[in-house]
Amino acid sequence: MLLSGKARLRTVDFGLSTSHFALLTLLLISAGSLSAQKTSVQNIEPRVEALLARMTVDEKIGQLTQMPGDISTGTDVAKDDLLNQIRSGKIGSILSHTNFQNKITMQRVATRETRLGIPIIFGFDVIHGYKTIFPIPLAQAASWEPDMIERIERIAAEEAAADGQHWTFAPMVDISHDPRWGRNMEAAGEDPYLGSRIAAARVRGFQGNDLSANNTLAACAKHFAGYGFVEAGREYNTVDVSEQRLRELILPPFQAAADAGSATFMNAFNTINGTPASMHKHLVTDILRGEWTWKGLVVSDWNSFGEVIIHGAAADEEEASAKCIGAGSDMDMAGGTFLKGMKKALDNGKVTNAQLDEAVRRVLRLKYMLGLFDDPFKYLDARRREATLFKPEFRQTAREAAAKSMVLLKNDGGLLPLNPSGPFKKIAIVGPYADSRSHKDYMSFWTLGIGTPNYDSTQVITPAMALKPALEALGFEVTVVQSDLSAASDEAAYSLSIQAAREADLVIACVGERGLDCGESRSVSDINLPRGQERFLRIATSNGAKPTVMVLFNSRPLTFAWANENIESILVAWQPGYETGNALVDILTGKVNPGGKLPVTFPRSLGQVPLYYNALNTGRPQERQGQMWTSGYLDSPTTPAYPFGFGMSYTTFAYDAPKVNKSKIKAGETLEVSVTVTNTGKIAGSETVQCYIRDLVADIARPVKELKGFEKINLAPGEKRTVVFKLTENDLAYWNGDLTRKADSGKFKVFTGGNSRDVQETEFLLEK
Ligand code: BGC
């Protein structure tokens, strides 16, 4: 959104209407966990009603309007006319504003120079940290540590709230099966169970247990819904999924976010089964507000109310306003559609006053919940800001998170960890990400505002900055050559790296995607290592003859068939954030034993996509490539390069067969599945023990495996631990053909193992 933000803003008739804006609700009522908030909600309702009764229609529409701040407009608020818009009550919320002082000015104008003094709510995309930049969300998911992810979001919220933000447009909880889609980096991968655990953790981290505290943010579960299933992985494209699949795969993380109390939700850009998500009444009103009894605020995505006209589902702003608010969506982000069309829609009876009031209530409620009416400047304390941003302990967590996110895919001959007393003395750190000065290479598109005076891009530790001194201290001789991808040709870009690699005993090749290759509007049609990097690897390693560690920087599953065959060690580093180099030191030297596991399948080729572990069996499953009349390819196996849940360690783990405590369970009973895992290697390590099920005979076809539990354990050498997973009837239930959720009686398989492929199994019966 960022790059096109300015352009889009110009298309908005910014001078037209009224407003203030945004608010939110609080699930809290239904979430049950936040008792302090429950109490506040009760006190808030009369205040909301009293204020609403005093508001004009224009003021109400203003409260439903959110407009972009300095990331799109530049930093001079007065010049951008934003202050005048606030003064005249046309804006209730500002998104993506970085300048602290200007936020104070805007809040002053909103609260002291408007008729009703309703405070502004500031929203921001706090996606993987605010000032202290953490690994991308997909990488964090590879840690399989919801508790750590919650800590990360706590830090992100603390920094953002200290800088005057009230609301983050996160977590993104979209499930996807398509690596082409650029926004994979923002989510938690392909699995609804893992995705749900992480969604809830993120909401808890952002919101803490008191939304009105000055170090918490309102969360926003997005994009509701289906965005991860855009056809051909092409950004903003059509989504067509059955309701059964929607409920089984796409909605669970949203429901988990709602249950965790996410204060807001965001519509998706896409159509879903023909209807733009922003005006999808079944999704927003029937499911979210109805079935889930969620009480929060729904904000559009950037101009997604206006885009329903472009989709061809509304004639003009009047109709778009009516359809979007009529579906249950509340606040208009960046497009100005409500400013242009809502009043006409009211005048012409297409929107009722009751509908308008309900949306405004949700905005006001959120502002009350955040404590903004009690003290509009509580998030704008310069001294607290100074004391909070970039705290050294935040970087410790960033380093921990980056190291725990990394996934070791291959380690032939135990090349890693690097051994100072081994045969290799001369190390070359080479490639386009060895020591890139483009700070975003190790982060992502969503480090908004980095590069503006408010942010410090020099905070990034590149691989070479940390690895060179650390490896030299261990006695290695280290050369660093950064390939310059802006060079006129691949030859020019890679020649010095190639030379350095040839002169070394061991190569650390830093390859992959740039940070700006991922995020919104960054879909790709090819997921091979980009920019001539496979050829570079072949030449630099003398066709695989040179011992090499490939460090992959990526934001989505990539394919690298040649490297899989020819390179000894492959480490998925993702985009690790500020602590990139330090985390690599931890992993490559063995200070931290890798424990990350893929939250998403890595295919062998793009032609296999969509490829995901929890697929249906087909009537003709293939056992081996070439087996005719089965579901496969003539030219490729059906299996992935690396399966969901996969990741190696420097130690080894042995799994005993799983055991169940009873062979049959009845409704209301709990099955215990236990598995004993032993560290059979020589060093301590962590292992994520995974538990999957398969419903063998159901009313409809069920996936060959479904993740139902995981536990990450640390084991000393020789230590063994028994992990127990508990399954109830609810864990066996699914959305069946007539769209009711139930479990079938009959036989189930249960599998345990260290990834979705390498498992052992047993069986049990559900009797009803
Ligand atoms: C993105 C959202 C984001 C919003 C505000 C949109 O373009 O799709 O995820 O929160 O912009 O920046």
Side-chain angles (χ1 to χ4, degrees), residues 153-175:
E153 303 304 26
R154 195 76 295 292
I155 291 170
E158 227 175 297
E159 284 193 333
D163 196 35
Q165 312 294 359
H166 309 132
W167 179 14
T168 173
F169 304 122
M172 183 180 119
V173 303
D174 295 309
I175 298 291

Side-chain angles (χ1 to χ4, degrees), residues 361-391:
R361 262 185 206 107
R362 294 182 185 126
V363 176
L364 297 180
R365 219 177 267 138
L366 178 59
K367 292 186 177 181
Y368 277 110
M369 295 303 303
L370 287 162
L372 291 174
F373 281 97
D374 298 326
D375 178 2
F377 299 96
K378 72 191 291 181
Y379 301 86
L380 291 164
D381 173 342
R383 264 177 310 174
R384 195 161 54 84
R385 176 181 192 273
E386 188 64 24
T388 307
L389 305 185
F390 296 120
K391 272 192 202 159

Side-chain angles (χ1 to χ4, degrees), residues 1-2 8 95-96 125 127 169 183 186 222-223 227 236 266 269 301-302 333 446 448 520:
M1 88 96 202
L2 179 53
R8 275 185 284 185
L95 83 149
S96 304
D125 290 280
I127 306 295
F169 304 122
R183 303 200 75 167
E186 284 173 68
K222 70 186 189 186
H223 305 83
Y227 193 17
Y236 315 125
M266 185 185 291
F269 282 126
D301 203 345
W302 184 291
M333 178 193 284
W446 284 117
L448 294 182
E520 185 175 348

Side-chain angles (χ1 to χ4, degrees), residues 524-535:
V524 293
S525 65
D526 182 355
I527 58 167
N528 274 315
L529 274 181
R531 300 184 174 85
Q533 292 181 81
E534 179 177 319
R535 187 151 170 269

